[in-house]
Amino acid sequence: SGLFGSLGFGGVVSNLGLKSAAISGQNTGGIAGHNYGSISGCFVADSNCFVADSIFGSYVGGIAGQNDGSISNSFVADSSVSGSTVGGIAGHSGLSISNCFVIDSEISGTMAGGIAGQNGSYIDNCFVAGDGFVAGPEAGGIVGRNYYGDISKCYVAVSVTGADYGNYTPQYIGGIVGTLSTEGTVSNCVMLGAEVYGTDAIVNRIGTSSILQNNYAWEGTKVNEADVLNGNHRNENGANATINNLEDKDWWAGVGFDFDNDRIWTFNDDGPPTLTWYSEP
């Protein structure tokens, strides 16, 4: 269910917005239930995407329920996304999500991610921020469960909460990713949220041959109301980032955020970076 039930191979949707909508179905997205094509420059705001009774195996996303194409330069704001496998942008992503953000939104489900509930491909240059949260038994600020996928140059500035959902109780909760399965990669990411109600600031459960590299968590982030200990940029908690770091453009550039070459990001003196396509429309 969505404005488009299924966007086929070669299909293109661009510069389209949806406001004040309620969309429900087993595979539900504000723009497309299932995307095989290209979605760019789209937004969903003040809306509710959900699955009644949280049907197991359903995919719900603010932009697309399932993404087997590309989603770029799109955002979700002031919305609620809930169901089984849920994400602020896509419930399940088998191809690419780039240059997207979710702000002031509530994401909750059995497997929940601020950008994607499940990811098996590429997610880069995305952020989740504002007065919202990500919650579920398996939850991550960017991705709930990542398998064979690469996540890079993203940040999270909301709390991630382990919450009961249906018959499921909290197990795998991470600031960036809940579960990093076999051969997944998380790199150049930053956790800024106030709280992770789980065990680790970056990733909770790590699979075989997975890689963590150059990740950071704000020194004020609490994990189960306690300070993060023994963090470094290659482990589950990431290296500490101070307030001075977060207010320093050169520090963000060192993490990997591009302000100069492709100018993907714009630095703000009063907060973390924003995506240039949105801040300079």
Side-chain angles (χ1 to χ4, degrees), residues 17 32 69 92 126 137 152 155 169 204 214 246 267 275:
H92 172 274
C126 295
S152 66
Y155 73 81
T169 57
N204 178 236
N214 203 34
L246 301 179
F267 188 74
L275 289 163

Side-chain angles (χ1 to χ4, degrees), residues 20-223:
S20 303
I23 301 176
S24 178
Q26 186 165 357
N27 294 308
T28 297
I31 303 299
H34 200 150
N35 174 46
Y36 295 98
S38 171
I39 297 174
S40 64
C42 294
F43 73 86
V44 172
D46 302 306
S47 296
N48 183 10
C49 299
F50 65 100
V51 172
D53 300 322
S54 300
I55 302 169
F56 182 78
S58 62
Y59 300 104
V60 185
I63 298 292
Q66 293 190 68
N67 175 47
D68 288 304
S70 66
I71 301 175
S72 63
N73 293 33
S74 298
F75 71 92
V76 171
D78 300 296
S79 295
S80 172
V81 182
S82 61
S84 178
T85 301
V86 302
I89 299 296
H92 172 274
S93 184
L95 280 179
S96 67
I97 299 175
S98 61
N99 303 353
C100 293
F101 68 90
V102 174
I103 193 164
D104 296 333
S105 296
E106 299 177 355
I107 315 299
S108 60
T110 306
M111 189 180 299
I115 297 296
Q118 286 184 342
N119 174 54
S121 189
Y122 298 95
I123 295 177
D124 65 352
N125 295 303
C126 295
F127 70 89
V128 181
D131 295 326
F133 60 80
V134 181
E138 187 170 2
I142 297 295
V143 171
R145 180 182 295 177
N146 185 73
Y147 56 96
Y148 299 103
D150 297 325
I151 300 167
S152 66
K153 297 180 286 295
C154 297
Y155 73 81
V156 174
V158 299
S159 291
V160 183
T161 303
D164 293 341
Y165 205 88
N167 295 324
Y168 298 90
T169 57
Q171 296 185 67
Y172 309 112
I173 315 299
I176 302 295
V177 176
T179 296
L180 181 61
S181 296
T182 304
E183 297 182 12
T185 300
V186 177
S187 62
N188 309 95
C189 291
V190 182
M191 174 58 179
L192 305 176
E195 187 87 42
V196 178
Y197 291 92
T199 58
D200 302 290
I202 301 297
V203 173
N204 178 236
R205 183 171 59 160
I206 301 176
T208 304
S209 301
S210 294
I211 297 172
L212 295 169
Q213 185 168 336
N214 203 34
N215 299 304
Y216 295 83
W218 171 47
E219 63 181 359
T221 297
K222 301 292 185 180
V223 176

Side-chain angles (χ1 to χ4, degrees), residues 227-238:
D227 292 334
V228 177
L229 301 175
N230 303 318
N232 71 66
H233 77 95
R234 293 180 182 271
N235 78 2
E236 295 92 329
N237 284 319

Side-chain angles (χ1 to χ4, degrees), residues 155 246-247 249 252 259 266-275 279:
Y155 73 81
L246 301 179
E247 294 176 347
K249 178 181 177 180
W252 284 95
F259 300 104
T266 293
F267 188 74
N268 301 303
D269 292 333
D270 58 349
T274 54
L275 289 163
S279 57

